[in-house]
Amino acid sequence: MAALNFPLLTLAQALDRMLGKVKSIEGVETLDLTNAAGRVTAQPVVSPVNVPPFDNSAMDGYAVRLADLDVSDPLPVAGKAFAGVPFSGDWPSGTVLRIMTGAPMPAGAQAVIMQEQAEPGPDGVRFTAKAKAGQNIRRIGDDIRLGAEVIPAGRALGVAELPLLASLGIDKIQVLRRLKVALFSTGDELQPIGAPLAAGQIHDTNRFTVRLMLQQLGCDVIDLGIIADDAQALRAAFREADERADLVITSGGVSVGEADYTKTILEELGKIDFWQLAIKPGKPFAFGRLDHTWFCGLPGNPVSAAVTFYQLVQPLIVRLSGRVDWRPAPRLRARLLAPLKKTPGRMDFQRGIFYGTPEGGLEVRSTGPQGSHVFSSFNQANCFIVLDAEQGSVAAGESVTIEPFNHLLLS
Ligand code: AMP
Ligand code: MG
């Protein structure tokens, strides 16, 4: 049987194989900054300006020339400089200038003495502290130099990046085009969300789950709907997906049942790289290539589909989208509050709830039944409890590895 030709891979081996093969898409477009949230920089962004754009005062106080401080006392105030209203006019020697935070430094000023160290009187100001050259002056380009790289290529643009670019006066940016992902579910039992169900039918939740995750990852989703367990229909769907997308994601039909055509058609139209993983849930997961696109075949069981999407498809999409800033969620250690069942053999991704203790530790417990059809196990979960392949059942009080995820089921 063909199945024997495919190795049962560990998660790490599968990821290595996938990420070792795929490269970033290349098309570039120029967008207004206001439309660029979630998009990926196509090239490094360099600053068109200095920040701050001019030397300015870091304090409310007095701008001084150091030589004048030794000569006379008190020193008359010859004028004022405000943020937005620079000092103009003559600045006679032997005098100081009143200056406010953010005001451009007057030509010749060597330091700002803060007003807390000044005693103004009728004849001028006396200073109660010595001044050092350059003190309380924010220098031009201190924060960002003209021409410096502010954002590297391959960075997804969000709240940490876009306001910075806006502050530099940048209003257009070159980004990679969106990754086009075609998506369909397979199964004669599936009905669209909201449709009435006849005996034996269920709603197609996987397409909904996957579409939400794809949208969060900034993909252009080409939703091809529900495809029947029929070789002809599947062939047509794969051909269309291969014409229109960069990546094809299917759900269902990749196990070894009699209606599991997905794998057979993939073998006919493309090349399967692997289709079985030593993980639970999510053993039947297919990866490979069609003529123009990559494909990922998710298992039909909703938990398996979500877990394999999270662990495998997410990093793949990130790589294809050109992002180089992405990291998997950190794995942490937490104390297990109640025992967990596990048979050695496959790496297990149980759903758990973790929280911090007042002492600064982490504790975790399972969400309850962990069947690959129990999607409600995600409801309260905020992490995976990651159990190694060789690991057996775990007793309460032992330390386990957890991998936090957010409510969008993304890292
Ligand atoms: P399959 O991988 O096609 O053998 O499906 C495995 C299990 O997942 C079966 O119980 C299917 O009814 C169920 N299933 C398949 N596709 C979906 C889907 N899109 N949404 C919800 N359940 C599904
Ligand atoms: Mg099926």
Side-chain angles (χ1 to χ4, degrees):
M1 196 179 142
L4 295 175
N5 299 329
F6 293 100
L8 187 69
L9 300 182
T10 66
L11 179 67
Q13 287 169 333
L15 276 171
D16 276 356
R17 280 170 84 137
M18 294 169 82
L19 301 180
K21 289 199 164 80
V22 307
K23 286 203 178 61
S24 164
I25 50 166
E26 282 182 350
V28 174
E29 52 191 324
T30 303
L31 290 185
D32 286 344
L33 214 54
T34 44
N35 292 324
R39 303 299 291 271
V40 178
T41 46
Q43 48 188 249
V45 184
V46 297
S47 178
V49 293
N50 280 303
V51 180
F54 45 82
D55 289 357
N56 68 91
S57 176
M59 290 283 178
D60 293 329
Y62 296 86
V64 300
R65 300 183 187 103
L66 295 180
D68 292 336
L69 297 177
D70 304 329
V71 175
S72 57
D73 180 43
L75 289 159
V77 179
K80 290 184 181 178
F82 291 91
V85 189
F87 171 76
S88 62
D90 279 345
W91 182 11
S93 63
T95 67
V96 297
L97 297 173
R98 183 85 170 106
I99 192 163
M100 308 302 161
T101 306
M105 290 307 296
Q110 292 169 297
V112 171
I113 302 179
M114 60 171 152
Q115 65 190 31
E116 290 80 352
Q117 297 174 341
E119 287 169 353
D123 304 324
V125 196
R126 281 203 167 83
F127 296 109
T128 59
K130 292 246 173 284
K132 277 199 298 218
Q135 78 177 28
N136 299 325
I137 300 175
R138 303 166 179 158
R139 294 291 178 195
I140 178 171
D142 243 8
D143 181 0
I144 299 167
R145 285 225 161 271
L146 171 77
E149 179 178 310
V150 281
I151 297 189
R155 172 78 67 87
L157 295 166
V159 178
E161 291 81 16
L162 291 166
L164 170 66
L165 298 181
S167 76
L168 301 178
I170 294 173
D171 64 342
K172 302 241 185 272
I173 183 150
Q174 293 221 305
V175 295
L176 292 170
R177 69 170 173 82
R178 287 183 193 276
L179 186 73
K180 287 180 277 186
V181 182
L183 168 65
F184 60 86
S185 298
T186 71
D188 287 340
E189 74 280 31
L190 301 179
Q191 289 296 315
I193 286 158
L197 300 178
Q201 294 183 331
I202 59 170
H203 286 123
D204 173 11
T205 49
N206 288 349
R207 195 158 45 94
F208 193 49
T209 315
V210 171
R211 201 167 53 208
L212 281 172
M213 292 167 95
L214 289 173
Q215 283 163 351
Q216 292 305 320
L217 288 168
C219 301
D220 244 347
V221 182
I222 304 165
D223 190 340
L224 299 179
I226 298 167
I227 309 295
D229 289 318
D230 167 83
Q232 205 49 46
L234 273 172
R235 208 173 275 127
F238 271 119
R239 289 221 167 95
E240 178 176 358
D242 188 38
E243 288 305 320
R244 295 176 59 187
D246 304 301
L247 170 68
V248 183
I249 299 178
T250 66
S251 128
V254 281
S255 30
V256 290
E258 287 184 11
D260 292 330
Y261 295 110
T262 307
K263 208 180 120 267
T264 326
I265 303 297
L266 282 175
E267 276 172 328
E268 173 194 319
L269 298 182
K271 185 168 170 355
I272 297 184
D273 194 287
F274 62 84
W275 74 285
Q276 286 216 313
L277 296 178
I279 67 171
K280 185 186 173 189
K283 185 176 174 204
F285 172 90
F287 170 71
R289 180 135 188 105
L290 293 167
D291 281 348
H292 311 105
T293 57
W294 299 101
F295 72 77
C296 291
L298 306 181
N301 273 310
V303 176
S304 312
V307 169
T308 50
F309 187 99
Y310 181 97
Q311 294 292 345
L312 292 143
V313 182
Q314 182 179 206
L316 178 78
I317 284 179
V318 163
R319 172 68 58 89
L320 284 167
S321 309
R323 283 175 60 183
V324 297
D325 58 347
W326 186 85
R327 306 252 177 298
R331 290 195 175 167
L332 311 169
R333 299 291 286 176
R335 201 175 75 88
L336 188 62
L337 290 176
L340 288 182
K341 283 214 188 84
K342 179 174 180 301
T343 353
R346 290 191 270 156
M347 188 179 217
D348 201 346
F349 291 92
Q350 304 207 7
R351 276 73 66 209
I353 306 159
F354 83 98
Y355 48 85
T357 65
E359 296 75 38
L362 295 176
E363 290 181 339
V364 66
R365 64 186 163 80
S366 154
T367 53
Q370 296 288 315
S372 57
H373 58 292
V374 187
F375 198 77
S376 59
S377 62
F378 275 115
N379 275 175
Q380 303 163 39
N382 60 5
C383 70
F384 289 115
I385 303 173
V386 186
L387 302 172
D388 283 341
E390 314 79 57
Q391 169 85 53
S393 292
V394 194
E398 285 190 39
S399 159
V400 290
T401 299
I402 60 168
E403 189 177 311
F405 52 70
N406 66 22
H407 69 289
L408 300 165
L409 208 53
L410 295 170
S411 55

